[in-house]
Amino acid sequence: MANATGLNAPEVAASMGLILAAVVEAAALLGNGALLVVVLRTPGLRDALYLVHLCVVDLLAAGSIMPLGLLAAPPPGLGRVRLGPAPCRAARFLSAALLPACTLGVAALGLARYRLIVHPLRPGARPPPTLVLTAVWAAAGLLGALSLLGPPPAPPPAPARCSVLAGGLEPFRPLWALLAFALPALLLLGAYGGIFLVARRAALRPPRPARGSRPRSDSLDSRLSILPPLRPRPPWGKAALAPALAVGQFAACWLPYGCACLAPAAQAAAAEAAVTWVAYSAFAAHPFLYGLLQRPVRRTLGRLARRALRRPPRACTSRAWHPRALLQHLHRPPEGPVLGPSEAPEQARDLAGRESLSMPEAT
């Protein structure tokens, strides 16, 4: 029984990894697709172009390199499909180009938000987004072209290494780690650190008294209202939430991959599947981190959700308003008994007598 359990343990681990990877890919596709629709429907969003670029890069990665990781991951990986020389080089190029495009795009988004918050009245200090994204794709294309200089995949008995970590790119991996991880990490840390300092300075600044405000009374209630709380909270706690989430998510997803690029080839090949899918989880986290934390995006998402879930009004039956049915209803005889000409005066006299009897009672 123990031997059977030990033999089945790698298969169970591979199945669990396959399920988790499929969940990550589905979340990346659905989240980025929904965020792209919401951003395009949100008017007046200042960093819309950077968000659209990030969604497009994440969708490209979720539609190309993530399925290849599911099908052709190295053992003990997720898939067992072997790629040929041309598909292997294509997978290596896409992996080496899309990952830097993602990390550099995140850094560009952080810098854009820093300039919008710290220098809102200086539009000349902000470079055009097209120039920034052109530089991002130039760096990503350079790293992708360098990946094509690696050796072809090994013969069929050996596993085919079709990634940056284990593709025979030892001379280029430090450069890739510098441009794709270290530089975006420093830019992101500087941008969100500046945003936190500005928010902290604004939170610590005492509020200005309003014009025409009356002085505080010297009553007991007034004295109790100015007492400090028992557990004072730092005023910059809410301002530190978004920078901490952005920097923490970037470090948690990309730090293992960046360290694996600097490790020896044998250790990088052994940890390839784990660190690769930890990095791929960033594609699923971006819609929630950079989309739902923005108030205009949340408003547009709520409006679209209410519009989609709104119940249609009840339509009136066409038979009731049909001309023929309406004429039949008008010409239909009354349901009660029809009074003759001799009975109508008697009924009128009875009604008059009842009214005359009831008048004195009411008086």
Side-chain angles (χ1 to χ4, degrees):
M1 188 70 181
N3 294 335
T5 306
L7 291 176
N8 293 331
E11 298 179 0
V12 172
S15 300
M16 292 299 296
L18 180 62
I19 294 173
L20 291 177
V23 169
V24 169
E25 182 172 2
L29 289 172
L30 296 177
N32 286 283
L35 180 60
L36 184 61
V37 172
V38 171
V39 169
L40 294 177
R41 299 290 296 271
T42 304
L45 196 61
R46 295 184 177 181
D47 53 357
L49 189 57
Y50 291 102
L51 277 177
V52 168
H53 170 262
L54 186 61
C55 291
V56 169
V57 172
D58 291 348
L59 287 174
L60 288 176
S64 59
I65 57 177
M66 292 179 73
L68 289 175
L70 286 173
L71 297 177
L78 305 175
R80 294 295 182 267
V81 178
R82 184 177 180 83
L83 298 178
C88 184
R89 287 183 180 274
R92 189 186 299 170
F93 173 80
L94 291 174
S95 176
L98 289 178
L99 297 185
C102 178
T103 55
L104 292 172
V106 169
L109 178 60
L111 290 175
R113 291 184 175 179
Y114 169 78
R115 288 188 293 267
L116 288 173
I117 293 174
V118 179
H119 305 290
L121 301 178
R122 293 172 56 187
R126 297 192 294 266
T130 53
L131 180 61
V132 176
L133 296 181
T134 301
V136 166
W137 280 104
L142 174 63
L143 294 176
L146 290 177
S147 68
L148 298 177
L149 301 178
R161 302 295 184 181
C162 304
S163 65
V164 179
L165 295 179
L169 301 174
E170 286 79 6
F172 305 108
R173 283 193 292 133
L175 177 63
W176 194 93
L178 177 64
L179 293 179
F181 174 73
L183 179 61
L186 292 176
L187 294 176
L188 201 66
L189 186 62
Y192 282 103
I195 292 174
F196 169 71
L197 292 178
V198 171
R200 182 177 180 272
R201 193 180 303 117
L204 292 177
R205 185 180 304 166
R208 297 179 180 179
R211 294 182 179 179
S213 59
R214 294 179 296 178
R216 182 184 295 271
S217 64
D218 200 18
S219 62
L220 179 61
D221 295 338
S222 177
R223 293 179 181 181
L224 291 177
S225 63
I226 64 175
L227 291 178
L230 297 178
R231 294 182 180 180
R233 296 180 180 179
W236 62 86
K238 189 176 181 180
L241 179 61
L245 286 177
V247 176
Q249 181 267 334
F250 188 89
C253 293
W254 297 106
L255 181 60
Y257 202 93
C259 294
C261 289
L262 301 176
Q267 298 179 5
E272 179 184 359
V275 299
T276 299
W277 279 98
V278 169
Y280 287 171
S281 64
F283 304 140
H286 288 162
F288 304 98
L289 186 62
Y290 295 100
L292 294 181
L293 289 183
Q294 295 199 56
R295 189 174 300 173
V297 174
R298 291 198 301 267
R299 289 177 179 174
T300 305
L301 183 61
R303 186 174 68 251
L304 293 177
R306 289 192 299 268
R307 187 181 303 174
L309 298 177
R310 184 181 300 170
R311 294 182 178 180
R314 294 181 178 179
C316 299
T317 56
S318 59
R319 184 179 178 182
W321 296 98
H322 198 273
R324 183 176 299 177
L326 185 60
L327 291 175
Q328 292 178 0
H329 179 73
L330 293 176
H331 291 290
R332 185 181 301 172
E335 297 180 359
V338 180
L339 299 177
S342 60
E343 297 177 357
E346 295 178 0
Q347 188 177 7
R349 294 194 204 97
D350 294 342
L351 290 176
R354 290 176 186 175
E355 290 179 358
S356 61
L357 291 175
S358 60
M359 286 297 291
E361 297 176 1
T363 305

